[in-house]
């Protein structure tokens, strides 16, 4: 296969950042510019540029989809799906994954420096939406010389972006894979996010978002937000299997015992505290506020006169939706709503509910069926 | 790849380039054959997630769902053919499912094992036991087939609802058999219906 040869093109590769002049018109009416976007690319673009796959990340994800995270040193967050010999394979595909705007891993967000003032934007950063994130991704693809996407793939919030792509840029998307996601945020979803935001804003270190100067960050609030959210990513069966009511072992008592106090007696408490603490080392509290807000505002039907079917009317894309039976954050019924809308519009849609004990997090975990479906969908019809 | 006899018959009859909805499409064998041989735009509905995964792996568009509840989400006359092969007897309300097929498709293929085949009659008559045959291999307590139907029962339903029969085929093993006494001698029936 002929590959376009860009060996010296510094737009491509790992740990890239582009400063795009903008302005990016936002749903709120504000304009953002310049727009910084941090991203990674894997593989090589075909000469006809027909093998481009865009991966969209979830709330606290990042651009390091298939390479080690610079802060935690952990493997890329979707290494099970993206990599050599995996369904999304740099040997066959040119893969792009960008950090969403509003986030804190190098894309423009509350933690980045406002060139107009030389100070962090903090809460002066404009409120953004899922569609705004997608428009910023489109700007990046323009910068990379990519017109059409062979596929856009995302799970959870990444699925929201993937689903928004064919509604905003119908002529640029050939296929769309939406995993463990939804076409709108439910009242329950919004409620959980509000708990997290209130925990952050109640932290005395938050100080209206202006905490960047002295390093005293609202870590307690952010950790609580993460702990609450983390529960929604798991299933009761999964939690019970992993922890049950087992007590936390201590050096003097390896089997654990009740302290009749408020230490982390139960293993599940200790697990959640660890999740919260490790999260504050890699994520910015203000970014958490902005991105959860973007998800809450997300409602594709509302953006198209209340009709989900109408949102996809201009698109010729093939769709593949996947849900997990123990996911109660974005349950199967949410995916079915999208499938029904796609059927009503005569779109080519596939849907499957996979079985997993791991709840919403299943899309990030070992699931051979998930890989089989994604691989089959990507290669299918192109024998 | 050889198709099951009733599917081969349907595949022969479908016109090239048609839009087809295969309800209860299994692993997509018929859809793949129609796509590859006749450039048919085929969509599937299937209840078993493993089958859906297999069909998606073939590059087919298949939605996991239940014929009893999910057909209502497809718009009127959105397909040239709706196909229900060996699934009728597993639905809760076969009459309503066929009604939906005829709403969604201009024509509908319905194929089912004939419960009045002489072998089954002998089993019930002489043995006093529910028949277990090649096409109905499950015992009465673990079968998915909850509405056993005969050729004459189905004809009566068609007449009652005023549907039109555009074609009917009867199978014994992998061979077509005579229309005469189909209710007694056919193991399997395929009907092509129109509203």
């Amino acid at each position: 296969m002929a590959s376009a040869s860009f060996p010296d093109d510094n737009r491509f590769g790992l740990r890239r950042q582009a400063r795009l002049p903008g302005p990016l018109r936002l749903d709120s009416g504000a304009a953002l510019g310049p727009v910084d976007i941090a991203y990674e690319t894997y593989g090589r673009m075909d000469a006809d540029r027909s093998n481009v796959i865009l991966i969209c990340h979830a709330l606290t994800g990042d651009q390091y989809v298939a390479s080690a995270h610079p802060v935690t040193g952990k493997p890329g967050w979707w290494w099970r799906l993206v990599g050599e010999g995996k369904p999304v394979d740099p040997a066959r595909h040119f893969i792009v994954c960008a950090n969403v705007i509003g986030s804190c891993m190098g894309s423009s967000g509350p933690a980045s420096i406002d060139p107009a003032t030389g100070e962090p934007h903090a809460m002066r950063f404009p409120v953004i939406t899922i569609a705004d994130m997608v428009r910023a991704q489109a700007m990046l693809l323009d910068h990379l010389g990519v017109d059409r996407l062979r596929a856009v793939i995302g799970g959870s919030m990444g699925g929201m972006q993937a689903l928004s792509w064919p509604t905003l840029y119908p002529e640029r998307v050939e296929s769309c894979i939406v995993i463990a996601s939804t076409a709108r945020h439910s009242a329950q979803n919004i409620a959980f996010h509000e708990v997290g935001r209130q925990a952050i804003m109640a932290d005395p270190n938050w100080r209206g978002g202006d905490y960047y100067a002295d390093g005293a960050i609202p870590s307690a609030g952010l950790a609580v937000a993460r702990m609450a959210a983390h529960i929604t990513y798991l299933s009761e069966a999964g939690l019970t299997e992993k922890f049950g009511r087992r007590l936390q072992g201590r050096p003097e008592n390896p089997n654990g015992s009740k302290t009749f106090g408020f230490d982390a007696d139960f293993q599940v408490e200790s697990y959640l505290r660890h999740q919260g603490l490790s999260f504050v080392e890699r994520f910015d509290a203000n970014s958490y506020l902005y991105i959860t807000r973007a998800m809450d505002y997300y409602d594709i039907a509302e953006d198209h006169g209340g009709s989900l079917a109408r949102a996809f009317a201009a698109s010729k894309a093939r769709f593949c939706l996947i849900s997990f039976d123990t996911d109660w954050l974005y349950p199967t019924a949410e995916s079915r709503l999208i499938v029904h809308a796609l059927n009503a519009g005569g779109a080519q849609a596939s849907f499957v509910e996979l079985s997993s004990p791991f709840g919403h997090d299943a899309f990030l975990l070992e699931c051979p069926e998930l890989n089989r479906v994604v691989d089959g969908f990507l290669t299918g019809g192109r024998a | 790849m050889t198709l099951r006899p009733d599917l081969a018959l349907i595949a022969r009859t479908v016109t090239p380039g048609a839009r087809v909805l295969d309800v209860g499409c299994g692993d997509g064998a018929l859809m793949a054959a129609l796509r590859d041989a006749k450039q048919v735009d085929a969509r599937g509905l299937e209840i078993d997630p493993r089958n859906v995964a297999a069909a998606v792996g073939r590059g087919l568009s298949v939605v996991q769902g239940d014929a009893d509840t999910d057909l209502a989400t497809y718009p009127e006359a959105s397909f040239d053919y709706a196909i229900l092969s060996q699934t009728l007897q597993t639905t809760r309300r076969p009459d309503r499912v066929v009604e939906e097929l005829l709403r969604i498709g201009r024509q509908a293929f319905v194929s089912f094992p004939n419960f009045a085949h002489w072998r089954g009659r002998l089993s019930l008559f002489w043995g006093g036991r529910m028949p277990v045959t090649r096409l109905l291999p499950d015992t009465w307590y673990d079968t998915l087939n909850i509405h056993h139907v005969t050729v004459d029962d189905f004809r009566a339903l068609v007449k009652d609802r005023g549907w039109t029969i555009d074609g009917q085929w009867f199978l014994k093993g992998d061979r077509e058999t005579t229309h005469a006494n189909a209710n007694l001698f056919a193991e399997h029936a395929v009907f092509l219906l129109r509203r």
Side-chain angles (χ1 to χ4, degrees):
Chain A
M1 192 185 296
S3 288
S5 178
F6 302 111
D8 304 321
D9 193 327
N10 61 16
R11 291 178 298 173
F12 305 111
L14 305 180
R15 303 193 183 194
R16 304 291 142 153
Q17 191 181 37
R19 170 157 289 192
L20 307 170
L24 176 63
R25 298 269 159 214
L26 303 173
D27 278 335
S28 67
L32 186 64
V35 183
D36 289 333
I37 301 182
Y39 64 98
E40 301 215 311
T41 76
Y42 311 80
R44 292 161 75 91
M45 218 186 309
D46 283 352
D48 61 1
R49 301 169 186 237
S50 66
N51 66 332
V52 184
I53 292 185
L54 177 70
I55 309 272
C56 303
H57 69 72
L59 200 174
T60 67
D62 50 56
Q63 63 273 39
Y64 305 105
V65 58
S67 67
H69 193 283
V71 177
T72 65
K74 286 184 179 167
W77 54 270
W78 226 358
W79 65 270
R80 289 178 173 89
L81 194 81
V82 182
E84 299 287 344
K86 306 288 165 59
V88 182
D89 188 342
R92 288 178 286 143
H93 303 121
F94 178 73
I95 303 156
V96 181
C97 184
N99 192 222
V100 297
I101 57 167
S103 193
C104 52
M105 293 299 291
S107 291
S108 293
S112 62
I113 302 296
D114 179 355
T117 63
E119 302 279 318
H121 291 277
M123 298 306 282
R124 292 167 293 279
F125 193 73
V127 167
I128 50 154
T129 65
I130 298 291
D132 292 333
M133 296 174 182
V134 169
R135 291 186 190 104
Q137 289 164 350
M139 280 174 73
L140 173 67
L141 293 186
D142 292 342
H143 171 73
L144 299 178
V146 173
D147 292 330
R148 285 173 67 79
L149 294 170
R150 165 87 168 272
V152 54
I153 308 177
S156 196
M157 185 184 85
M160 299 175 197
Q161 297 157 55
L163 197 61
S164 297
W165 256 99
T167 74
L168 292 166
Y169 302 99
E171 72 290 353
R172 294 184 80 165
V173 183
E174 286 170 33
S175 64
C176 176
I177 303 181
V178 178
I179 306 171
S181 193
T182 178
R184 59 148 177 57
H185 234 219
S186 69
Q188 179 175 271
N189 298 146
I190 297 168
F192 275 112
H193 275 174
E194 178 62 1
V195 170
R197 285 190 294 263
Q198 288 300 324
I200 289 167
M201 293 192 281
D203 188 313
N205 282 345
W206 182 61
R207 291 170 282 170
D210 284 313
Y211 53 78
Y212 295 108
D214 57 11
I217 61 170
S219 50
L222 182 59
V224 170
R226 177 62 169 181
M227 289 165 74
H230 200 82
I231 299 167
T232 70
Y233 303 152
L234 310 172
S235 71
E236 184 183 358
L239 272 179
T240 302
E241 187 187 327
K242 197 166 180 179
F243 306 108
R245 290 183 51 83
R246 282 191 297 280
L247 295 167
Q248 181 65 19
R250 295 190 167 81
E252 68 281 9
N253 186 357
N255 292 325
S257 59
K258 292 175 191 163
T259 61
F260 295 96
F262 294 95
D263 287 344
D265 280 357
F266 293 100
Q267 286 181 11
V268 65
E269 294 174 308
S270 162
Y271 170 76
L272 279 181
R273 289 183 189 191
H274 170 75
Q275 290 295 331
L277 286 177
S278 56
F279 183 60
V280 302
E281 290 166 14
R282 69 173 180 92
F283 214 82
D284 175 54
N286 285 343
S287 276
Y288 197 86
L289 300 179
Y290 276 89
I291 297 177
T292 56
R293 203 70 190 135
M295 294 170 79
D296 292 348
Y297 283 143
Y298 170 76
D299 182 345
I300 289 184
E302 186 188 65
D303 294 342
H304 291 82
S307 162
L308 196 52
R310 200 178 306 157
F312 303 107
S315 171
K316 297 266 185 295
R318 297 163 60 228
F319 291 82
C320 182
L321 287 103
I322 302 166
S323 69
F324 292 94
D325 57 356
T326 51
D327 183 351
W328 55 275
L329 189 62
Y330 302 117
T332 292
E334 303 278 347
S335 291
R336 280 199 189 281
L337 277 178
I338 301 167
V339 174
H340 293 165
L342 291 169
N343 278 343
Q348 289 204 46
S350 291
F351 162 70
V352 62
E353 178 190 59
L354 299 179
S355 190
S356 165
F358 300 118
H360 180 64
D361 259 357
F363 83 96
L364 294 170
L365 301 173
E366 191 68 42
C367 182
E369 282 282 280
L370 174 66
N371 282 28
R372 202 170 304 138
V373 171
V374 171
D375 187 42
F377 179 79
L378 285 177
T379 52
R382 287 182 173 249
Chain B
M1 184 182 51
T2 43
L3 284 174
R4 219 171 55 202
D6 61 317
L7 298 182
L9 199 153
I10 292 170
R12 277 202 302 277
T13 313
V14 165
T15 49
R19 287 173 52 80
V20 166
L21 177 66
D22 189 357
V23 180
C25 66
D27 65 1
L30 174 63
M31 294 173 68
L34 287 172
R35 175 189 63 186
D36 299 342
K38 292 195 158 176
Q39 294 75 50
V40 161
D41 180 7
R43 315 291 170 84
L45 182 71
E46 167 60 32
I47 201 162
D48 179 348
R50 282 164 305 180
N51 276 338
V52 177
V56 172
R58 290 174 140 163
L60 299 165
S61 293
V62 175
V63 168
Q64 189 187 350
D66 187 336
D68 272 309
T69 52
D70 291 0
L71 290 175
T73 66
Y74 291 87
E76 187 105 354
S78 43
F79 293 92
D80 296 311
Y81 302 98
I83 298 173
L84 189 73
S85 60
Q86 293 199 7
T87 302
L88 184 74
Q89 71 279 3
T90 69
T91 60
R92 277 198 300 279
R93 284 298 298 265
D95 56 334
R96 287 185 193 157
V97 169
V98 176
E99 200 76 71
E100 286 286 22
L101 295 178
L102 292 171
R103 184 185 65 78
I104 296 165
R106 287 195 301 111
Q107 289 179 294
F109 283 101
V110 180
S111 90
F112 55 86
N114 174 29
F115 202 67
H117 184 251
W118 62 269
R119 229 186 287 272
R121 297 193 195 191
L122 280 188
S123 166
L124 203 54
F125 186 79
W126 291 109
R129 305 278 304 269
M130 287 295 277
V132 177
T133 66
R134 192 169 53 81
L135 284 168
L136 296 165
D138 305 319
T139 40
W140 62 271
Y141 49 83
D142 71 347
T143 183
L144 295 171
N145 304 323
I146 54 176
H147 283 113
H148 287 301
V149 56
T150 73
V151 168
D152 284 355
D153 281 333
F154 192 73
R155 280 178 172 147
L157 176 67
V158 168
K159 189 157 178 260
D160 178 56
R161 299 300 155 95
W163 301 327
T164 305
I165 297 177
D166 282 342
Q168 47 190 318
W169 301 265
F170 303 100
L171 295 164
K172 207 167 82 180
D174 57 1
R175 288 228 194 89
E176 269 194 69
T177 182
T178 168
H179 287 216
N181 290 318
N183 202 40
L184 185 60
F185 292 116
E187 288 183 299
H188 204 106
V190 182
F191 281 86
L192 179 59
L193 304 176
R194 182 159 45 85
R195 224 177 1 184

